[in-house]
Amino acid sequence: MMSQRQKRQVYIGLALTCLVLFAAGLIAGYHNRHSAICDDGRPPKSQQDVGIGQVRYLCHDGKIVTK
């Protein structure tokens, strides 16, 4: 059986882990906010879902990018 102190340490550890992961997600999102899908930096003309987790984008220059 766990003591109150051990329970508190587990809860604090879980909370800190969640906080670190949340902060890492915010930092990653901020860092990649200007990454464009198309080479010209413009948003794609259209997009199509082609499978599990893959999307096909049609750029203005006719190039097709799959991510």
Side-chain angles (χ1 to χ4, degrees):
M1 181 143 201
M2 293 177 72
S3 68
Q4 287 291 73
R5 180 180 170 148
Q6 290 172 328
K7 286 181 184 180
R8 185 172 47 238
Q9 287 177 339
V10 169
Y11 290 142
I12 290 173
L14 286 173
L16 287 175
T17 301
C18 290
L19 183 64
V20 167
L21 290 173
F22 180 73
L26 285 176
I27 292 168
Y30 181 79
H31 185 271
N32 294 324
R33 71 189 184 282
H34 293 302
S35 61
I37 294 171
C38 297
D39 291 335
D40 59 2
R42 296 167 57 187
K45 286 174 74 173
S46 67
Q47 67 184 36
Q48 178 184 13
D49 184 19
V50 293
I52 299 174
Q54 289 189 335
V55 178
R56 183 179 297 147
Y57 299 97
L58 175 63
C59 297
H60 289 276
D61 59 359
K63 184 177 178 183
I64 296 174
V65 179
T66 302
K67 287 193 176 188

